[in-house]
Amino acid sequence: MYRRQLKHSRVKNLFKFVSAKMNQVMTVESYLEFDTCFHLEYSPSITSFIAQPEGFIYCFDDRDFPYTPDFQIVENDAVKWIEVKPFVKTRSQDFLKRFKVKQEKAIELGVPLILVTEEQIRANPVLNNLKILHRYSGFQSFTTLHFRLLSLVKKVGKISVSDAAKQLGIEQSLMVKSAFSLVSSGVISVDLVNDELGLHSVIWSGQDG
């Protein structure tokens, strides 16, 4: 197996992602990988993920090469490796031939290797919404307002953030922060796919789907 160490260089910038799910700061080497972290952080089917996991050696054109996946995830109790690439770079014949060999080697090792491009990663409004949730995430304890909001949501079923602010007599900006921090923690749910998050967003109890 092979482990790579990321270092700053003149041609590559490193990015830091703070993960509450993994309780650590992860280092990635591209902005596209950084954006990928938001999906991994908030996907309910992914229980854990790490950047730059232990890789492996693969043989291509009778030569051995080291390879490190961009991420290792555990999704639905299954370990998987992820390679993140701009779509245009995945069209070259060299990449396609090499990636096929890498996938075959990964299967030999018992871990599937999956290719993900920016078309999947940067689909909006999903990515923008995930970044909003991350802005309100953190390791702080829940406040009385969090519990009041959670109680209201469980009582009424579904309610918009603005209506919750009115019913609880709370300033809208504070309600937005409290609501989205609860969503970020997985306690309540919101539609991340169809519209940008805001005061109009409808929230509901997480276990009610």
Side-chain angles (χ1 to χ4, degrees):
M1 302 296 279
Y2 167 79
R3 184 169 293 277
R4 179 182 174 215
Q5 297 294 327
L6 290 184
K7 296 180 180 179
H8 283 283
S9 72
R10 293 181 178 180
V11 296
K12 283 190 177 181
N13 293 318
L14 299 183
F15 298 82
K16 302 288 187 179
F17 182 85
V18 180
S19 171
K21 177 182 280 186
M22 300 306 299
N23 194 26
Q24 63 177 277
V25 178
M26 298 194 183
T27 302
V28 296
E29 60 179 346
S30 75
Y31 194 37
L32 189 59
E33 290 176 28
F34 179 75
D35 283 348
T36 304
C37 290
F38 293 98
H39 292 273
L40 304 180
E41 179 79 3
Y42 294 108
S43 172
S45 64
I46 295 175
T47 54
S48 68
F49 68 100
I50 57 174
Q52 298 295 312
E54 187 175 13
F56 53 83
I57 304 297
Y58 70 99
C59 182
F60 183 76
D61 284 347
D62 298 320
R63 292 177 58 193
D64 288 339
F65 296 90
Y67 170 68
T68 300
D70 293 315
F71 296 97
Q72 177 176 296
I73 68 172
V74 177
E75 184 176 28
N76 297 321
D77 298 323
V79 178
K80 301 176 183 178
W81 284 322
I82 295 179
E83 171 75 8
V84 176
K85 273 285 184 291
F87 179 76
V88 65
K89 291 188 177 182
T90 67
R91 297 299 88 196
S92 75
Q93 287 302 307
D94 181 69
F95 174 85
L96 292 171
K97 291 177 182 178
R98 284 177 177 269
F99 191 72
K100 181 180 179 182
V101 174
K102 293 174 186 176
Q103 284 186 309
E104 291 171 349
K105 182 63 178 182
I107 290 299
E108 286 182 21
L109 297 171
V111 182
L113 174 61
I114 301 166
L115 176 63
V116 180
T117 71
E118 79 273 14
E119 292 182 337
Q120 299 156 281
I121 296 165
R122 289 180 171 156
N124 276 313
V126 177
L127 179 59
N128 286 341
N129 286 338
L130 294 177
K131 289 185 175 183
I132 290 173
L133 291 187
H134 198 254
R135 187 187 311 158
Y136 293 109
S137 69
F139 304 96
Q140 71 274 12
S141 300
F142 287 165
T143 66
T144 300
L145 177 53
H146 286 104
F147 290 112
R148 288 179 63 198
L149 175 57
L150 183 57
S151 178
L152 175 64
V153 170
K154 288 183 175 180
K155 178 182 178 181
V156 302
K158 292 187 175 183
I159 189 171
S160 70
V161 176
S162 59
D163 285 344
K166 292 177 183 177
Q167 291 202 29
L168 295 179
I170 302 298
E171 182 182 343
Q172 289 185 337
S173 60
L174 183 57
M175 181 56 68
V176 165
K177 180 179 179 180
S178 299
F180 294 155
S181 65
L182 285 175
V183 173
S184 176
S185 301
V187 178
I188 61 176
S189 298
V190 71
D191 183 359
L192 297 172
V193 176
N194 296 305
D195 200 5
E196 295 276 357
L197 292 182
L199 284 167
H200 62 279
S201 297
V202 174
I203 53 178
W204 63 89
S205 181
Q207 62 265 32
D208 293 337

